[in-house]
Short mmCIF file of all heavy atoms in Angstrom, two decimals:
data_model
loop_
_atom_site.label_atom_id
_atom_site.label_comp_id
_atom_site.label_asym_id
_atom_site.label_seq_id
_atom_site.Cartn_x
_atom_site.Cartn_y
_atom_site.Cartn_z
N ALA A 435 103.88 110.08 104.35
CA ALA A 435 104.79 109.73 103.24
C ALA A 435 105.30 110.98 102.52
O ALA A 435 106.42 111.00 102.03
CB ALA A 435 104.09 108.79 102.27
N ASN A 436 104.50 112.06 102.49
CA ASN A 436 104.92 113.29 101.81
C ASN A 436 105.85 114.17 102.65
O ASN A 436 106.30 115.20 102.20
CB ASN A 436 103.70 114.11 101.36
CG ASN A 436 102.94 114.72 102.52
OD1 ASN A 436 103.27 114.49 103.70
ND2 ASN A 436 101.88 115.45 102.21
N GLY A 437 106.09 113.76 103.92
CA GLY A 437 107.00 114.50 104.79
C GLY A 437 106.32 115.34 105.85
O GLY A 437 106.97 115.84 106.77
N ASP A 438 105.00 115.55 105.76
CA ASP A 438 104.27 116.27 106.80
C ASP A 438 104.34 115.45 108.10
O ASP A 438 104.45 114.22 108.07
CB ASP A 438 102.80 116.45 106.42
CG ASP A 438 102.57 117.40 105.27
OD1 ASP A 438 103.54 118.02 104.78
OD2 ASP A 438 101.40 117.52 104.84
N ILE A 439 104.25 116.17 109.25
CA ILE A 439 104.33 115.50 110.55
C ILE A 439 103.24 116.05 111.46
O ILE A 439 103.05 117.26 111.57
CB ILE A 439 105.71 115.73 111.22
CG1 ILE A 439 106.82 115.14 110.37
CG2 ILE A 439 105.73 115.15 112.63
CD1 ILE A 439 108.22 115.50 110.85
N TYR A 440 102.54 115.13 112.12
CA TYR A 440 101.58 115.50 113.17
C TYR A 440 102.08 114.94 114.48
O TYR A 440 102.39 113.75 114.59
CB TYR A 440 100.18 114.95 112.89
CG TYR A 440 99.24 115.13 114.07
CD1 TYR A 440 98.69 116.37 114.35
CD2 TYR A 440 98.94 114.07 114.92
CE1 TYR A 440 97.84 116.55 115.45
CE2 TYR A 440 98.10 114.23 116.01
CZ TYR A 440 97.56 115.47 116.27
OH TYR A 440 96.72 115.64 117.36
N GLN A 441 102.16 115.82 115.49
CA GLN A 441 102.53 115.40 116.84
C GLN A 441 101.43 115.86 117.76
O GLN A 441 101.10 117.05 117.79
CB GLN A 441 103.85 116.05 117.28
CG GLN A 441 105.05 115.61 116.49
CD GLN A 441 106.29 116.37 116.93
OE1 GLN A 441 106.39 117.57 116.71
NE2 GLN A 441 107.22 115.67 117.55
N GLY A 442 100.85 114.92 118.48
CA GLY A 442 99.79 115.32 119.40
C GLY A 442 98.92 114.17 119.84
O GLY A 442 99.33 113.01 119.82
N ASN A 443 97.70 114.52 120.21
CA ASN A 443 96.77 113.56 120.76
C ASN A 443 95.97 112.86 119.67
O ASN A 443 95.64 113.45 118.64
CB ASN A 443 95.81 114.26 121.72
CG ASN A 443 95.13 113.27 122.62
OD1 ASN A 443 95.78 112.56 123.38
ND2 ASN A 443 93.81 113.20 122.55
N TRP A 444 95.68 111.58 119.94
CA TRP A 444 94.87 110.74 119.04
C TRP A 444 93.74 110.14 119.85
O TRP A 444 93.90 109.81 121.02
CB TRP A 444 95.71 109.60 118.47
CG TRP A 444 96.79 110.05 117.55
CD1 TRP A 444 98.00 110.58 117.90
CD2 TRP A 444 96.75 110.01 116.12
NE1 TRP A 444 98.71 110.88 116.78
CE2 TRP A 444 97.98 110.55 115.67
CE3 TRP A 444 95.81 109.60 115.21
CZ2 TRP A 444 98.29 110.66 114.33
CZ3 TRP A 444 96.12 109.70 113.86
CH2 TRP A 444 97.34 110.23 113.42
N GLU A 445 92.57 110.01 119.21
CA GLU A 445 91.44 109.30 119.81
C GLU A 445 90.82 108.43 118.74
O GLU A 445 90.49 108.94 117.66
CB GLU A 445 90.39 110.28 120.34
CG GLU A 445 90.79 110.98 121.62
CD GLU A 445 89.70 111.93 122.11
OE1 GLU A 445 88.52 111.77 121.72
OE2 GLU A 445 90.05 112.84 122.87
N ASN A 446 90.67 107.16 119.03
CA ASN A 446 89.99 106.23 118.13
C ASN A 446 90.55 106.31 116.70
O ASN A 446 89.80 106.39 115.73
CB ASN A 446 88.49 106.51 118.16
CG ASN A 446 87.68 105.31 117.72
OD1 ASN A 446 88.14 104.18 117.82
ND2 ASN A 446 86.49 105.56 117.22
N ASP A 447 91.86 106.32 116.57
CA ASP A 447 92.57 106.32 115.28
C ASP A 447 92.53 107.65 114.53
O ASP A 447 92.86 107.70 113.35
CB ASP A 447 92.02 105.22 114.36
CG ASP A 447 93.06 104.13 114.09
OD1 ASP A 447 94.17 104.20 114.65
OD2 ASP A 447 92.75 103.21 113.32
N LYS A 448 92.13 108.74 115.20
CA LYS A 448 92.06 110.04 114.52
C LYS A 448 92.78 111.11 115.32
O LYS A 448 92.82 111.07 116.55
CB LYS A 448 90.59 110.46 114.33
CG LYS A 448 89.85 109.53 113.40
CD LYS A 448 88.44 109.99 113.17
CE LYS A 448 87.76 109.04 112.19
NZ LYS A 448 86.38 109.37 112.00
N MET A 449 93.33 112.10 114.58
CA MET A 449 93.92 113.25 115.24
C MET A 449 92.80 113.98 115.97
O MET A 449 91.80 114.35 115.36
CB MET A 449 94.57 114.19 114.21
CG MET A 449 95.75 113.60 113.49
SD MET A 449 96.47 114.71 112.24
CE MET A 449 95.36 114.40 110.86
N SER A 450 92.96 114.14 117.28
CA SER A 450 91.89 114.71 118.09
C SER A 450 92.49 115.29 119.36
O SER A 450 93.30 114.65 120.02
CB SER A 450 90.86 113.64 118.42
OG SER A 450 89.78 114.19 119.09
N GLY A 451 92.08 116.52 119.70
CA GLY A 451 92.64 117.18 120.88
C GLY A 451 93.75 118.13 120.46
O GLY A 451 93.77 118.63 119.34
N GLN A 452 94.69 118.36 121.34
CA GLN A 452 95.79 119.30 121.06
C GLN A 452 96.88 118.63 120.24
O GLN A 452 97.23 117.48 120.48
CB GLN A 452 96.40 119.80 122.37
CG GLN A 452 95.49 120.70 123.17
CD GLN A 452 95.20 122.00 122.44
OE1 GLN A 452 96.09 122.67 121.92
NE2 GLN A 452 93.92 122.37 122.38
N GLY A 453 97.42 119.41 119.28
CA GLY A 453 98.50 118.88 118.48
C GLY A 453 99.17 119.93 117.63
O GLY A 453 98.73 121.09 117.57
N THR A 454 100.24 119.51 116.97
CA THR A 454 100.98 120.37 116.05
C THR A 454 101.12 119.64 114.73
O THR A 454 101.57 118.49 114.70
CB THR A 454 102.39 120.70 116.60
OG1 THR A 454 102.23 121.37 117.86
CG2 THR A 454 103.18 121.56 115.65
N TYR A 455 100.74 120.32 113.66
CA TYR A 455 100.87 119.76 112.31
C TYR A 455 101.90 120.62 111.59
O TYR A 455 101.73 121.83 111.45
CB TYR A 455 99.54 119.81 111.57
CG TYR A 455 99.53 118.97 110.32
CD1 TYR A 455 98.95 117.71 110.32
CD2 TYR A 455 100.12 119.41 109.14
CE1 TYR A 455 98.94 116.92 109.17
CE2 TYR A 455 100.12 118.63 107.99
CZ TYR A 455 99.53 117.39 108.01
OH TYR A 455 99.53 116.61 106.89
N THR A 456 102.98 119.99 111.13
CA THR A 456 104.04 120.68 110.41
C THR A 456 104.07 120.17 108.98
O THR A 456 104.27 118.98 108.74
CB THR A 456 105.40 120.44 111.09
OG1 THR A 456 105.31 120.83 112.46
CG2 THR A 456 106.49 121.25 110.40
N PHE A 457 103.84 121.11 108.05
CA PHE A 457 103.89 120.77 106.64
C PHE A 457 105.34 120.65 106.19
O PHE A 457 106.24 121.27 106.78
CB PHE A 457 103.16 121.82 105.80
CG PHE A 457 101.68 121.85 106.05
CD1 PHE A 457 101.15 122.62 107.07
CD2 PHE A 457 100.82 121.10 105.26
CE1 PHE A 457 99.78 122.64 107.31
CE2 PHE A 457 99.46 121.11 105.49
CZ PHE A 457 98.93 121.90 106.51
N VAL A 458 105.60 119.90 105.14
CA VAL A 458 106.95 119.69 104.65
C VAL A 458 107.62 121.02 104.27
O VAL A 458 108.84 121.15 104.38
CB VAL A 458 106.96 118.65 103.50
CG1 VAL A 458 106.37 119.23 102.22
CG2 VAL A 458 108.36 118.11 103.25
N ASN A 459 106.86 122.05 103.90
CA ASN A 459 107.43 123.36 103.53
C ASN A 459 107.73 124.23 104.75
O ASN A 459 108.23 125.34 104.60
CB ASN A 459 106.52 124.10 102.55
CG ASN A 459 105.23 124.56 103.19
OD1 ASN A 459 104.97 124.33 104.37
ND2 ASN A 459 104.38 125.20 102.40
N GLY A 460 107.39 123.74 105.97
CA GLY A 460 107.69 124.48 107.19
C GLY A 460 106.50 125.19 107.81
O GLY A 460 106.56 125.63 108.95
#
């Protein structure tokens, strides 16, 4: 909701494994 974005792997409803987290400020 704040604009941050996570793209990557999920396991059992959680961010887990390889991914990219981009904060709203870049």
Side-chain angles (χ1 to χ4, degrees):
N436 69 357
D438 292 355
I439 298 171
Y440 170 76
Q441 294 176 293
N443 198 61
W444 293 79
E445 286 180 21
N446 202 25
D447 246 2
K448 295 183 178 176
M449 294 179 277
S450 185
Q452 292 295 313
T454 300
Y455 193 101
T456 305
F457 293 88
V458 72
N459 69 359

